[in-house]
Amino acid sequence: MSDLFLYNTLSRQKEKFKSIKKGEVGLYTCGPTVYNYAHLGNLRTYLFEDFLVRVLEYNNYRVQQVMNITDVGHLTGDQDMGEDKMEKSANREGKSAWEIAEFYTRAFKKDLQALNIKAPSQWCKVTEVIPEQIALIKQLEKRAYTYRTSDGIYFNTAKLQDYNKLSHLPLEKLKEGARVEKNIEKKNPTDFALWKFSPKDVQRQMEWPSPWGVGFPGWHVECSTISLKYLSSQLDIHCGGIDHINIHHTNEIAQSEAATGKKFFNYWLHGAFLNIPGGKKMAKSADNFLTLNKALLKNNINPLAYRFAALQVHYRKPMEYSVRGIKQAEQGLQSLLKQVASLGTKIGKINPKYKQQFLLAINDDLNLPQALAISANLLKSNLSAPDKLATILDFDRVLALNLDLASQSIKSKLVFQDLPITVQKLITIREEARLQKNWAKADQLRKKIELAGYLIEDQKDSYQISKLN
Ligand code: AMP
Ligand code: ZN
């Protein structure tokens, strides 16, 4: 085995990874706010986190991964001001905030499945841990880190010496990040809300009683609470996109360490952005975002082409999304699948030389572009076809490009991208109908799929498809 090195935002260096418990890793990945579909940028971050999980597992760690589902609050401004995203979507779509959360949670889980992103070992909805969040705030209050303003309970960041240890920015710079809409009652510009009061003149759909008044938790409190609830004895790695470094993760560390007096996570890993051509970040708020469905499935592009594209760019480098780029990635994936299919069905031995090269690449801060190059060299090498097949299938534990399905050995399992395009389209429309609970339309589409020669069977969050004889 070789050592695993990861770039830690806390130290700004690649560090040798050492878990708290031998052979086990506690991993926290900030989850989605379920008021809209995830966009390809969000999905790039979840892909990077999946690469990390699979690399840890390839290194024989058991990974306990926890992800939150933010189904409450989360205001449109970073500085605890603005409208509530969940309630805004609910009003726009004429649904309750709870229905919105359920709908987009299901959609999110489907996206993860389509990209072969492993589900975390533990999901946690923010609305399920309101008492625990209140307990954390009470602990901070007891330790004199909080103060009250007319709109909520705030954390006093001036009480910490090392508030900026993750961002490495002088406090004045962090101040510059503050949005135009300022709360003049805050003692320091970097202070943040732990509990927000419901406005007096508006009836909120999601609100709870608390020792300080009816309201809802501040955004950062959720991730601290859920991490401490599920990973208290194994706070190994915490991840997210780079936009979370200066505010969200900085505030998570501040309040968690203030409440417990202990270090909150040893390693902090951050993924770079997915940009649109021209270098602008893909963002929900900028209205330039593409979903997996719109960009790929509706254009008959295999969703795994996006996974393949993400594997080609190191997670700490910006990635650009373009139609041309994704089509090239699809061709690259097709060519890889063809090469694997041509190896036949006999599985030989994993080649130790290529395995070692692959391991060194992925253990060098997840160098997956290099791992792909090694895979290409393996396929070009003069090893026997069965040994090549054994080795590439071993690599696919990390790459997760369904290379096992390309190999002739497992043809009975049907996957989306093996189906005729007409059937893929029917399934995509039917999945949308199911998400919208339009059962009549879903039934009609099931019949059409049967007429095309396939049987579709629904499962809780997915479906299974087989060929009718
Ligand atoms: P949000 O739902 O906005 O909290 O975002 C979910 C995750 O996606 C977070 O980890 C963000 O850092 C990440 N993210 C948001 N926009 C992008 C982008 N354009 N590229 C990569 N990651 C992103
Ligand atoms: Zn978070």
Side-chain angles (χ1 to χ4, degrees):
M1 276 321 225
S2 79
D3 289 331
L4 169 61
F5 288 85
L6 298 171
Y7 182 89
N8 190 349
T9 309
L10 266 178
S11 64
R12 300 260 148 141
Q13 336 188 357
K14 275 190 212 170
E15 288 178 27
K16 186 165 135 182
F17 176 70
K18 193 166 181 305
S19 60
I20 295 166
K21 290 188 189 167
K22 196 166 179 280
E24 280 182 40
V25 178
L27 171 68
Y28 190 87
T29 45
C30 288
T33 310
V34 282
Y35 69 103
N36 204 335
Y37 292 104
H39 59 63
L40 291 176
N42 304 133
L43 293 171
R44 181 187 184 200
T45 292
Y46 299 114
L47 277 167
F48 135 62
E49 292 161 350
D50 184 62
F51 302 157
L52 174 64
V53 168
R54 288 172 182 275
V55 166
L56 288 165
E57 288 179 346
Y58 197 87
N59 281 276
N60 298 322
Y61 284 106
R62 223 153 35 93
V63 182
Q64 169 71 5
Q65 185 195 353
V66 181
M67 189 184 285
N68 59 294
I69 295 278
T70 302
D71 54 353
V72 61
H74 215 329
L75 305 180
T76 47
D78 272 346
Q79 298 295 320
D80 304 311
M81 306 295 276
E83 286 176 281
D84 179 300
K85 290 177 182 172
M86 294 296 306
E87 304 223 351
K88 195 176 160 192
S89 275
N91 291 338
R92 189 187 64 220
E93 298 189 22
K95 293 182 185 161
S96 76
W98 303 94
E99 285 167 336
I100 289 283
E102 198 205 312
F103 178 87
Y104 288 112
T105 301
R106 279 185 65 146
F108 176 66
K109 290 185 179 174
K110 276 193 200 307
D111 284 349
L112 297 192
Q113 249 177 12
L115 291 168
N116 273 352
I117 295 175
K118 287 191 179 190
S121 10
Q122 180 72 53
W123 291 106
C124 184
K125 287 186 196 169
V126 174
T127 50
E128 279 171 354
V129 284
I130 300 293
E132 288 91 333
Q133 293 179 81
I134 292 175
L136 183 85
I137 304 167
K138 272 169 113 174
Q139 174 75 357
L140 290 169
E141 192 176 43
K142 209 166 97 195
R143 294 187 163 212
Y145 282 99
T146 66
Y147 63 92
R148 189 184 183 106
T149 72
S150 56
D151 76 344
I153 303 297
Y154 280 76
F155 184 93
N156 187 350
T157 54
K159 294 229 160 188
L160 294 173
Q161 294 304 312
D162 55 359
Y163 175 72
N164 61 349
K165 68 179 170 193
L166 187 70
S167 66
H168 303 266
L169 288 176
L171 285 180
E172 309 78 71
K173 282 266 187 216
L174 281 175
K175 275 182 217 165
E176 276 172 26
R179 298 277 167 95
V180 215
E181 202 179 352
K182 288 204 177 88
N183 179 349
I184 48 165
E185 292 175 65
K186 285 205 301 192
K187 292 188 177 169
N188 311 287
T190 45
D191 293 355
F192 56 91
L194 297 164
W195 187 262
K196 290 274 289 187
F197 303 134
S198 291
K200 296 212 168 49
D201 48 342
V202 187
Q203 172 68 49
R204 281 180 55 86
Q205 293 183 37
M206 287 182 163
E207 57 182 15
W208 294 266
S210 82
W212 313 281
V214 174
F216 56 102
W219 168 32
H220 319 296
V221 178
E222 63 191 49
C223 289
S224 291
T225 303
I226 299 170
S227 298
L228 295 169
K229 173 165 176 159
Y230 290 105
L231 297 172
S232 61
S233 58
Q234 46 182 159
L235 295 166
D236 287 306
I237 312 177
H238 195 123
C239 299
I242 46 171
D243 51 336
H244 282 347
I245 298 174
N246 293 352
I247 297 176
H248 182 49
H249 288 167
T250 286
N251 291 344
E252 276 188 48
I253 294 175
Q255 68 200 359
S256 306
E257 297 191 349
T260 65
K262 293 192 195 129
K263 187 168 184 186
F264 184 64
F265 285 98
N266 290 333
Y267 300 84
W268 289 81
L269 270 61
H270 293 98
F273 287 146
L274 179 80
N275 297 323
I276 55 165
K280 223 171 136 205
K281 170 193 168 191
M282 186 176 285
K284 277 178 205 157
S285 52
D287 253 3
N288 61 11
F289 72 86
L290 288 168
T291 61
L292 193 65
N293 214 2
K294 191 167 161 203
L296 284 93
L297 294 171
K298 287 207 170 140
N299 294 315
N300 300 318
I301 298 175
N302 179 351
L304 291 183
Y306 185 54
R307 183 177 179 101
F308 188 67
L311 284 164
Q312 289 175 309
V313 185
H314 189 263
Y315 79 91
R316 286 195 288 117
K317 297 225 168 88
M319 172 176 169
E320 186 182 282
Y321 185 86
S322 69
V323 175
R324 216 175 101 213
I326 195 68
K327 293 219 159 126
Q328 272 171 359
E330 196 189 24
Q331 279 170 9
L333 176 61
Q334 281 307 336
S335 143
L336 178 62
L337 291 171
K338 268 198 203 131
Q339 288 179 69
V340 175
S342 75
L343 296 174
T345 58
K346 204 161 153 256
I347 301 185
K349 287 206 184 86
I350 298 173
N351 181 276
K353 186 184 109 200
Y354 280 98
K355 188 176 171 96
Q356 183 62 13
Q357 284 183 17
F358 183 83
L359 190 64
L360 280 176
I362 59 174
N363 281 1
D364 178 14
D365 193 30
L366 318 184
N367 192 343
L368 289 153
Q370 177 70 15
L372 280 181
I374 292 160
S375 308
N377 288 344
L378 162 78
L379 293 171
K380 272 189 274 169
S381 73
N382 51 17
L383 288 183
S384 71
D387 285 4
K388 282 185 191 173
L389 186 58
T391 314
I392 198 80
L393 292 185
D394 178 58
F395 295 176
D396 203 41
R397 286 161 53 203
V398 175
L399 306 176
L401 294 168
N402 288 354
L403 300 182
D404 56 342
L405 300 170
S407 138
Q408 302 296 313
S409 50
I410 316 172
K411 267 291 169 211
S412 54
K413 258 206 251 171
L414 282 181
V415 284
F416 188 82
Q417 52 270 24
D418 289 343
L419 298 167
I421 298 289
T422 44
V423 178
Q424 289 185 6
K425 273 195 177 156
L426 290 171
I427 292 176
T428 305
I429 306 169
R430 185 168 180 275
E431 284 298 288
E432 271 177 20
R434 277 180 70 200
L435 266 177
Q436 281 150 7
K437 303 208 165 115
N438 187 343
W439 309 123
K441 189 170 171 192
D443 261 357
Q444 272 174 9
L445 286 155
R446 176 205 303 283
K447 284 183 192 128
K448 282 194 185 167
I449 293 168
E450 281 177 11
L451 283 176
Y454 293 84
L455 177 69
I456 187 158
E457 289 164 288
D458 294 333
Q459 292 172 333
K460 195 164 162 272
D461 277 328
S462 65
Y463 60 84
Q464 204 149 35
I465 182 108
S466 50
K467 192 145 179 43
L468 287 167
N469 292 319

